[in-house]
Amino acid sequence: DAGITQSPRHKVTETGTPVTLRCHQTENHRYMYWYRQDPGHGLRLIHYSYGVKDTDKGEVSDGYSVSRSKTEDFLLTLESATSSQTSVYFCAIRDGTSGSYEQYFGPGTRLTVT
Amino acid sequence: RKEVEQDPGPFNVPEGATVAFNCTYSNSASQSFFWYRQDCRKEPKLLMSVYSSGNEDGRFTAQLNRASQYISLLIRDSKLSDSATYLCVVNLRGSQGNLIFGKGTKLSVKP
């Protein structure tokens, strides 16, 4: 299994509070991604990173920010959580050196905003 | 129109059955194709990449038809452990490797 961990694994927070989710990899992969998964939707890309300090928006980036100060860590921040951000959040990584586009996922974080 | 469409199922099959999943994609710039498997309350896991010539991995066979923008996954001799949701996934050329996921097809294999 790819060396990807996510923390916390579960979190319950109140509307309006800031929340930061962490993704940590031990594979030294260049690319990292944050997705959310909701019933009735496929996985949707929030933000991604193509290197340290290099990030870009995905399909559903409103209300989220990211940072990547080290190769191994990619943080997702909800500045002011809303109930619509209740979801399961998955981090993924991709090597990118071999021309492959396969991504490998972390175990997920279940976030509930009350 | 959704970019990647799959029959949501569920497909309920007996052990030993052969089951086929289909997927269509709308963007002709799609360049890489995958099937992922996702167990309940778990992360998606790569099952196999799909190549233009078709490819097989044990009981699993994937096919790609670029002209029809269609991808398939065939599972032979279904096992109870094959019960999961199967996600069809594509990557668009020039997209920094970003993947587009179908909503998945749920498979339940019964004894």
Side-chain angles (χ1 to χ4, degrees):
Chain A
D1 287 348
I4 314 169
T5 56
Q6 293 184 233
S7 58
R9 294 293 313 281
H10 301 269
K11 186 169 182 68
V12 180
T13 193
E14 293 185 349
T15 297
T17 60
V19 177
T20 295
L21 309 183
R22 180 184 184 231
C23 178
H24 178 79
Q25 60 145 331
T26 58
E27 306 293 326
N28 200 37
H29 284 356
R30 176 183 175 189
Y31 294 88
M32 298 185 76
Y33 305 83
W34 277 108
Y35 293 89
R36 60 179 288 174
Q37 187 173 36
D38 305 288
H41 294 274
L43 276 86
R44 293 180 292 174
L45 181 66
I46 305 171
H47 280 279
Y48 65 98
S49 168
Y50 46 98
V52 173
K53 296 190 181 348
D54 292 323
T55 65
D56 206 346
K57 296 178 180 181
E59 176 189 357
V60 291
S61 59
D62 287 349
Y64 301 95
S65 62
V66 289
S67 66
R68 190 166 178 206
S69 59
K70 298 184 289 185
T71 298
E72 57 266 37
D73 289 325
F74 192 31
L75 304 181
L76 177 71
T77 297
L78 291 65
E79 301 290 348
S80 177
T82 67
S83 59
S84 64
Q85 294 176 311
T86 291
S87 188
V88 181
Y89 292 86
F90 288 104
C91 173
I93 63 175
R94 178 170 76 90
D95 184 0
T97 58
S98 61
S100 168
Y101 292 97
E102 299 165 351
Q103 293 183 18
Y104 298 91
F105 286 80
T109 293
R110 292 187 173 273
L111 176 68
T112 302
V113 184
T114 61
Chain B
R1 181 182 172 187
K2 292 292 184 183
E3 295 206 56
V4 179
E5 294 201 59
Q6 299 180 246
D7 181 339
F11 283 47
N12 297 307
V13 303
E15 268 188 293
T18 295
V19 60
F21 302 137
N22 302 318
C23 167
T24 57
Y25 59 94
S26 60
N27 195 321
S28 59
S30 301
Q31 67 171 1
S32 302
F33 308 88
F34 310 95
W35 284 100
Y36 279 74
R37 170 200 169 121
Q38 187 172 25
D39 293 287
C40 187
R41 301 179 72 84
K42 298 288 189 180
E43 73 272 24
K45 292 189 175 181
L46 179 67
L47 180 65
M48 56 197 306
S49 301
V50 187
Y51 304 115
S52 295
S53 55
N55 47 301
E56 186 174 309
D57 183 2
R59 298 181 294 108
F60 299 85
T61 300
Q63 298 279 353
L64 168 64
N65 184 322
R66 288 187 184 271
S68 301
Q69 297 187 180
Y70 170 93
I71 308 160
S72 65
L73 176 69
L74 185 75
I75 305 175
R76 290 180 299 278
D77 189 23
S78 299
K79 311 291 186 191
L80 296 177
S81 58
D82 293 333
S83 296
T85 296
Y86 290 82
L87 308 176
C88 178
V89 184
V90 307
N91 157 248
L92 300 182
R93 191 177 305 116
S95 69
Q96 290 271 25
N98 297 345
L99 300 180
I100 301 171
F101 287 78
K103 295 180 183 179
T105 298
K106 187 172 183 179
L107 172 65
S108 182
V109 181
K110 307 292 188 183

